[in-house]
């Protein structure tokens, strides 16, 4: 028996107030962006959060911010997210990664990665 798993956990800061969209014939969705930061000291390949404070005194620190698009479809969670989550909030998101394609306003085919919370 072969099994597969698509699960992601993110802890970060909300980049904008959530918006709720409704496409005709579909259930509404709440959408927002989430920033996660990865920090490390030059020469190190991996750093745990517990060591972060110590690194501030040891030398050069590099940081990488990654932005994630979060979509919330589940009715109760969708509504609570829209009502209470705000720009700058630090939140934990658990969900699955969804890879999709769309055509932009210039008729260019684009790919999008979304976290379905």
């Amino acid at each position: 028996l072969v099994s597969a798993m698509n699960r992601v956990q993110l802890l970060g800061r909300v980049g904008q107030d959530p918006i709720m969209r409704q496409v005709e014939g579909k259930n509404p969705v709440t959408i927002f962006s989430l920033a996660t930061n990865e920090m490390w000291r030059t020469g190190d390949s991996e750093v745990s959060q517990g060591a972060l404070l110590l690194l501030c005194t040891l030398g050069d620190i590099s940081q990488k911010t990654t932005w994630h698009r979060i979509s919330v479809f589940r009715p109760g969670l969708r509504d609570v997210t829209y009502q209470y989550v705000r720009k700058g909030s630090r939140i934990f998101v658990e969900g699955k990664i969804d890879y999709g394609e769309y055509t932009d306003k210039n008729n260019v085919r684009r790919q999008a990665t979304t976290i379905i919370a």
Side-chain angles (χ1 to χ4, degrees), residues 39-59:
M39 300 177 98
W40 65 93
R41 188 172 52 135
T42 304
D44 288 350
S45 60
E46 197 172 304
V47 170
S48 69
Q49 286 183 332
L52 196 53
L53 183 59
L54 176 63
L55 290 178
C56 292
T57 61
L58 292 179

PDB file of all heavy atoms in Angstrom, residues 39-59:
ATOM      1  N   MET A  39      16.109  32.802   9.099  1.00  0.00           N
ATOM      2  CA  MET A  39      17.324  33.553   9.459  1.00  0.00           C
ATOM      3  C   MET A  39      18.463  32.583   9.730  1.00  0.00           C
ATOM      4  O   MET A  39      18.244  31.498  10.265  1.00  0.00           O
ATOM      5  CB  MET A  39      17.066  34.409  10.696  1.00  0.00           C
ATOM      6  CG  MET A  39      15.965  35.422  10.496  1.00  0.00           C
ATOM      7  SD  MET A  39      15.631  36.347  11.985  1.00  0.00           S
ATOM      8  CE  MET A  39      16.589  37.801  11.635  1.00  0.00           C
ATOM      9  N   TRP A  40      19.662  32.991   9.358  1.00  0.00           N
ATOM     10  CA  TRP A  40      20.841  32.174   9.620  1.00  0.00           C
ATOM     11  C   TRP A  40      22.073  33.057   9.692  1.00  0.00           C
ATOM     12  O   TRP A  40      22.101  34.155   9.148  1.00  0.00           O
ATOM     13  CB  TRP A  40      21.001  31.094   8.544  1.00  0.00           C
ATOM     14  CG  TRP A  40      21.283  31.635   7.175  1.00  0.00           C
ATOM     15  CD1 TRP A  40      22.504  31.834   6.590  1.00  0.00           C
ATOM     16  CD2 TRP A  40      20.314  32.077   6.214  1.00  0.00           C
ATOM     17  NE1 TRP A  40      22.353  32.353   5.336  1.00  0.00           N
ATOM     18  CE2 TRP A  40      21.025  32.525   5.075  1.00  0.00           C
ATOM     19  CE3 TRP A  40      18.926  32.149   6.189  1.00  0.00           C
ATOM     20  CZ2 TRP A  40      20.383  33.029   3.947  1.00  0.00           C
ATOM     21  CZ3 TRP A  40      18.296  32.646   5.067  1.00  0.00           C
ATOM     22  CH2 TRP A  40      19.030  33.071   3.963  1.00  0.00           C
ATOM     23  N   ARG A  41      23.074  32.550  10.374  1.00  0.00           N
ATOM     24  CA  ARG A  41      24.355  33.239  10.470  1.00  0.00           C
ATOM     25  C   ARG A  41      25.191  32.808   9.286  1.00  0.00           C
ATOM     26  O   ARG A  41      25.170  31.639   8.890  1.00  0.00           O
ATOM     27  CB  ARG A  41      25.051  32.863  11.771  1.00  0.00           C
ATOM     28  CG  ARG A  41      26.290  33.683  12.042  1.00  0.00           C
ATOM     29  CD  ARG A  41      26.813  33.391  13.416  1.00  0.00           C
ATOM     30  NE  ARG A  41      26.959  31.961  13.573  1.00  0.00           N
ATOM     31  CZ  ARG A  41      28.010  31.372  14.112  1.00  0.00           C
ATOM     32  NH1 ARG A  41      28.999  32.084  14.568  1.00  0.00           N
ATOM     33  NH2 ARG A  41      28.072  30.069  14.219  1.00  0.00           N
ATOM     34  N   THR A  42      25.911  33.722   8.697  1.00  0.00           N
ATOM     35  CA  THR A  42      26.739  33.416   7.545  1.00  0.00           C
ATOM     36  C   THR A  42      27.647  32.227   7.856  1.00  0.00           C
ATOM     37  O   THR A  42      28.294  32.180   8.893  1.00  0.00           O
ATOM     38  CB  THR A  42      27.604  34.638   7.153  1.00  0.00           C
ATOM     39  OG1 THR A  42      26.733  35.739   6.939  1.00  0.00           O
ATOM     40  CG2 THR A  42      28.411  34.372   5.912  1.00  0.00           C
ATOM     41  N   GLY A  43      27.613  31.238   6.946  1.00  0.00           N
ATOM     42  CA  GLY A  43      28.408  30.033   7.139  1.00  0.00           C
ATOM     43  C   GLY A  43      27.605  28.874   7.708  1.00  0.00           C
ATOM     44  O   GLY A  43      28.030  27.744   7.631  1.00  0.00           O
ATOM     45  N   ASP A  44      26.446  29.165   8.295  1.00  0.00           N
ATOM     46  CA  ASP A  44      25.577  28.111   8.820  1.00  0.00           C
ATOM     47  C   ASP A  44      24.520  27.792   7.783  1.00  0.00           C
ATOM     48  O   ASP A  44      24.042  28.663   7.085  1.00  0.00           O
ATOM     49  CB  ASP A  44      24.880  28.539  10.108  1.00  0.00           C
ATOM     50  CG  ASP A  44      25.843  28.595  11.283  1.00  0.00           C
ATOM     51  OD1 ASP A  44      26.988  28.125  11.121  1.00  0.00           O
ATOM     52  OD2 ASP A  44      25.448  29.104  12.348  1.00  0.00           O
ATOM     53  N   SER A  45      24.135  26.538   7.716  1.00  0.00           N
ATOM     54  CA  SER A  45      23.114  26.165   6.750  1.00  0.00           C
ATOM     55  C   SER A  45      21.724  26.120   7.372  1.00  0.00           C
ATOM     56  O   SER A  45      20.731  26.231   6.692  1.00  0.00           O
ATOM     57  CB  SER A  45      23.448  24.808   6.130  1.00  0.00           C
ATOM     58  OG  SER A  45      23.508  23.835   7.144  1.00  0.00           O
ATOM     59  N   GLU A  46      21.647  25.961   8.683  1.00  0.00           N
ATOM     60  CA  GLU A  46      20.342  25.826   9.322  1.00  0.00           C
ATOM     61  C   GLU A  46      20.424  26.358  10.749  1.00  0.00           C
ATOM     62  O   GLU A  46      21.414  26.194  11.430  1.00  0.00           O
ATOM     63  CB  GLU A  46      19.939  24.354   9.348  1.00  0.00           C
ATOM     64  CG  GLU A  46      18.476  24.138   9.596  1.00  0.00           C
ATOM     65  CD  GLU A  46      18.108  22.682   9.409  1.00  0.00           C
ATOM     66  OE1 GLU A  46      18.376  22.136   8.331  1.00  0.00           O
ATOM     67  OE2 GLU A  46      17.569  22.111  10.350  1.00  0.00           O
ATOM     68  N   VAL A  47      19.352  27.023  11.188  1.00  0.00           N
ATOM     69  CA  VAL A  47      19.324  27.611  12.521  1.00  0.00           C
ATOM     70  C   VAL A  47      17.969  27.328  13.148  1.00  0.00           C
ATOM     71  O   VAL A  47      16.950  27.464  12.496  1.00  0.00           O
ATOM     72  CB  VAL A  47      19.544  29.145  12.429  1.00  0.00           C
ATOM     73  CG1 VAL A  47      19.267  29.803  13.759  1.00  0.00           C
ATOM     74  CG2 VAL A  47      20.947  29.462  11.959  1.00  0.00           C
ATOM     75  N   SER A  48      17.963  26.959  14.398  1.00  0.00           N
ATOM     76  CA  SER A  48      16.684  26.780  15.086  1.00  0.00           C
ATOM     77  C   SER A  48      16.259  28.105  15.696  1.00  0.00           C
ATOM     78  O   SER A  48      17.085  28.971  15.962  1.00  0.00           O
ATOM     79  CB  SER A  48      16.816  25.716  16.175  1.00  0.00           C
ATOM     80  OG  SER A  48      17.632  26.203  17.225  1.00  0.00           O
ATOM     81  N   GLN A  49      14.965  28.270  15.942  1.00  0.00           N
ATOM     82  CA  GLN A  49      14.468  29.524  16.503  1.00  0.00           C
ATOM     83  C   GLN A  49      15.075  29.792  17.871  1.00  0.00           C
ATOM     84  O   GLN A  49      15.306  30.933  18.227  1.00  0.00           O
ATOM     85  CB  GLN A  49      12.947  29.485  16.605  1.00  0.00           C
ATOM     86  CG  GLN A  49      12.266  29.623  15.266  1.00  0.00           C
ATOM     87  CD  GLN A  49      10.754  29.652  15.422  1.00  0.00           C
ATOM     88  OE1 GLN A  49      10.204  29.083  16.354  1.00  0.00           O
ATOM     89  NE2 GLN A  49      10.103  30.306  14.500  1.00  0.00           N
ATOM     90  N   GLY A  50      15.343  28.766  18.652  1.00  0.00           N
ATOM     91  CA  GLY A  50      15.921  28.952  19.968  1.00  0.00           C
ATOM     92  C   GLY A  50      17.302  29.562  19.920  1.00  0.00           C
ATOM     93  O   GLY A  50      17.722  30.251  20.834  1.00  0.00           O
ATOM     94  N   ALA A  51      18.026  29.343  18.840  1.00  0.00           N
ATOM     95  CA  ALA A  51      19.375  29.871  18.707  1.00  0.00           C
ATOM     96  C   ALA A  51      19.386  31.275  18.105  1.00  0.00           C
ATOM     97  O   ALA A  51      20.419  31.909  18.037  1.00  0.00           O
ATOM     98  CB  ALA A  51      20.216  28.943  17.837  1.00  0.00           C
ATOM     99  N   LEU A  52      18.233  31.772  17.700  1.00  0.00           N
ATOM    100  CA  LEU A  52      18.157  33.056  17.005  1.00  0.00           C
ATOM    101  C   LEU A  52      18.681  34.193  17.853  1.00  0.00           C
ATOM    102  O   LEU A  52      19.442  35.026  17.371  1.00  0.00           O
ATOM    103  CB  LEU A  52      16.716  33.319  16.591  1.00  0.00           C
ATOM    104  CG  LEU A  52      16.491  34.387  15.547  1.00  0.00           C
ATOM    105  CD1 LEU A  52      17.343  34.129  14.325  1.00  0.00           C
ATOM    106  CD2 LEU A  52      15.039  34.438  15.167  1.00  0.00           C
ATOM    107  N   LEU A  53      18.309  34.266  19.122  1.00  0.00           N
ATOM    108  CA  LEU A  53      18.752  35.342  19.995  1.00  0.00           C
ATOM    109  C   LEU A  53      20.266  35.306  20.145  1.00  0.00           C
ATOM    110  O   LEU A  53      20.925  36.337  20.100  1.00  0.00           O
ATOM    111  CB  LEU A  53      18.067  35.212  21.355  1.00  0.00           C
ATOM    112  CG  LEU A  53      18.366  36.311  22.360  1.00  0.00           C
ATOM    113  CD1 LEU A  53      17.956  37.667  21.783  1.00  0.00           C
ATOM    114  CD2 LEU A  53      17.631  36.057  23.656  1.00  0.00           C
ATOM    115  N   LEU A  54      20.839  34.147  20.307  1.00  0.00           N
ATOM    116  CA  LEU A  54      22.278  33.986  20.435  1.00  0.00           C
ATOM    117  C   LEU A  54      22.995  34.476  19.183  1.00  0.00           C
ATOM    118  O   LEU A  54      24.033  35.127  19.259  1.00  0.00           O
ATOM    119  CB  LEU A  54      22.617  32.515  20.693  1.00  0.00           C
ATOM    120  CG  LEU A  54      24.095  32.149  20.753  1.00  0.00           C
ATOM    121  CD1 LEU A  54      24.757  32.872  21.921  1.00  0.00           C
ATOM    122  CD2 LEU A  54      24.259  30.653  20.892  1.00  0.00           C
ATOM    123  N   LEU A  55      22.446  34.229  18.013  1.00  0.00           N
ATOM    124  CA  LEU A  55      23.086  34.615  16.766  1.00  0.00           C
ATOM    125  C   LEU A  55      23.191  36.123  16.603  1.00  0.00           C
ATOM    126  O   LEU A  55      24.083  36.620  15.931  1.00  0.00           O
ATOM    127  CB  LEU A  55      22.312  34.049  15.575  1.00  0.00           C
ATOM    128  CG  LEU A  55      22.400  32.545  15.410  1.00  0.00           C
ATOM    129  CD1 LEU A  55      21.548  32.109  14.234  1.00  0.00           C
ATOM    130  CD2 LEU A  55      23.826  32.109  15.211  1.00  0.00           C
ATOM    131  N   CYS A  56      22.285  36.853  17.223  1.00  0.00           N
ATOM    132  CA  CYS A  56      22.306  38.312  17.093  1.00  0.00           C
ATOM    133  C   CYS A  56      23.612  38.896  17.613  1.00  0.00           C
ATOM    134  O   CYS A  56      24.014  39.974  17.219  1.00  0.00           O
ATOM    135  CB  CYS A  56      21.134  38.931  17.846  1.00  0.00           C
ATOM    136  SG  CYS A  56      19.546  38.554  17.080  1.00  0.00           S
ATOM    137  N   THR A  57      24.291  38.199  18.495  1.00  0.00           N
ATOM    138  CA  THR A  57      25.524  38.725  19.061  1.00  0.00           C
ATOM    139  C   THR A  57      26.766  38.095  18.439  1.00  0.00           C
ATOM    140  O   THR A  57      27.870  38.478  18.761  1.00  0.00           O
ATOM    141  CB  THR A  57      25.545  38.473  20.582  1.00  0.00           C
ATOM    142  OG1 THR A  57      25.490  37.068  20.811  1.00  0.00           O
ATOM    143  CG2 THR A  57      24.385  39.162  21.257  1.00  0.00           C
ATOM    144  N   LEU A  58      26.599  37.127  17.544  1.00  0.00           N
ATOM    145  CA  LEU A  58      27.746  36.379  17.047  1.00  0.00           C
ATOM    146  C   LEU A  58      28.293  36.831  15.701  1.00  0.00           C
ATOM    147  O   LEU A  58      29.390  36.460  15.348  1.00  0.00           O
ATOM    148  CB  LEU A  58      27.398  34.888  16.958  1.00  0.00           C
ATOM    149  CG  LEU A  58      27.175  34.180  18.283  1.00  0.00           C
ATOM    150  CD1 LEU A  58      26.815  32.733  18.051  1.00  0.00           C
ATOM    151  CD2 LEU A  58      28.385  34.297  19.172  1.00  0.00           C
ATOM    152  N   GLY A  59      27.562  37.564  14.909  1.00  0.00           N
ATOM    153  CA  GLY A  59      28.102  37.939  13.609  1.00  0.00           C
ATOM    154  C   GLY A  59      27.034  38.262  12.600  1.00  0.00           C
ATOM    155  O   GLY A  59      25.916  38.608  12.948  1.00  0.00           O
TER     156      GLY A  59
END
